[in-house]
């Protein structure tokens, strides 16, 4: 993987121009290098990413618009526009748009690991067992559905 490429990734545009559809949510990769990977998410009301673990990556969320309900290490909280969420490696977490408005957020992980490759794999996939298997192969482990309660 290459070093960080300098420059600007414009608002509403993906790094190298590729928007990804991951279970109906629009993901816009913003930067990619060995030490980090960043991406913007656009979550409509009711959309979510179930509770999962990154065993080798710290993850962050900067909420830009709307709000996200977070389950972090078994505890529920709400992050609003301007809030930064810190999710240490190995700690179960998931995010949910439980509001009636869209949410937009900038996420990043460090190190980059296999997350960008996972997103490329998941683009337009709809088969949940295949998504779970692909995620595990890329170092993202989903917890059983009851972890989302």
């Amino acid at each position: 993987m290459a070093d960080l490429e300098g420059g600007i990734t414009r608002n509403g545009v993906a790094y190298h121009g590729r928007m990804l559809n991951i279970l109906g949510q629009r993901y816009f990769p913003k930067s990619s290098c060995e030490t980090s990977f960043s991406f913007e998410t656009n979550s409509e009301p009711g959309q979510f990413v179930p509770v999962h673990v990154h065993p080798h990556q710290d993850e962050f969320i900067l909420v830009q618009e709307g709000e996200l309900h977070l389950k972090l290490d078994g505890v529920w909280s709400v992050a609003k526009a301007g809030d930064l969420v810190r999710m240490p490696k190995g700690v179960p977490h998931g995010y949910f748009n439980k509001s009636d408005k869209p949410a937009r957020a900038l996420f990043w992980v460090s190190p980059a690991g296999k997350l960008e490759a996972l997103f490329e794999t998941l683009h337009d996939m709809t088969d949940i067992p295949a998504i779970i298997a692909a995620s595990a192969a890329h170092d993202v482990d989903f917890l059983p559905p009851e972890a989302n309660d």
Side-chain angles (χ1 to χ4, degrees), residues 4-145:
L4 182 65
E5 181 181 314
I8 297 172
T9 306
R10 300 287 178 199
N11 187 33
V13 176
Y15 180 73
H16 295 301
R18 181 150 162 87
M19 186 276 295
L20 301 168
N21 171 23
I22 301 183
L23 291 173
Q25 295 188 67
R26 293 174 294 136
Y27 281 36
F28 295 87
K30 293 293 187 175
S31 66
S32 180
C33 67
E34 186 173 338
T35 57
S36 68
F37 170 58
S38 67
F39 53 98
E40 177 184 313
T41 64
N42 292 265
S43 304
E44 295 297 324
Q47 291 182 320
F48 64 97
V49 172
V51 175
H52 60 282
V53 174
H54 300 265
H56 310 293
Q57 297 167 304
D58 293 323
E59 185 171 17
F60 304 87
I61 305 170
L62 177 61
V63 179
Q64 296 170 299
E65 295 174 11
E67 65 182 38
L68 293 173
H69 286 74
L70 285 287
K71 191 166 188 186
L72 177 61
D73 204 14
V75 177
W76 283 100
S77 58
V78 178
K80 298 181 179 188
D83 291 345
L84 177 69
V85 180
R86 301 174 316 276
M87 300 171 288
K89 64 185 165 194
V91 174
H93 61 276
Y95 75 90
F96 305 76
N97 184 350
K98 294 186 176 189
S99 76
D100 61 353
K101 296 184 174 99
R104 184 170 68 96
L106 178 68
F107 286 66
W108 66 97
V109 295
S110 179
K114 301 176 183 177
L115 196 59
E116 184 175 16
L118 172 60
F119 288 176
E120 291 286 340
T121 300
L122 297 182
H123 178 64
D124 285 339
M125 282 182 74
T126 57
D127 180 279
I128 300 301
I131 289 169
I132 292 169
S135 297
H138 290 83
D139 297 331
V140 176
D141 302 314
F142 283 94
L143 275 63

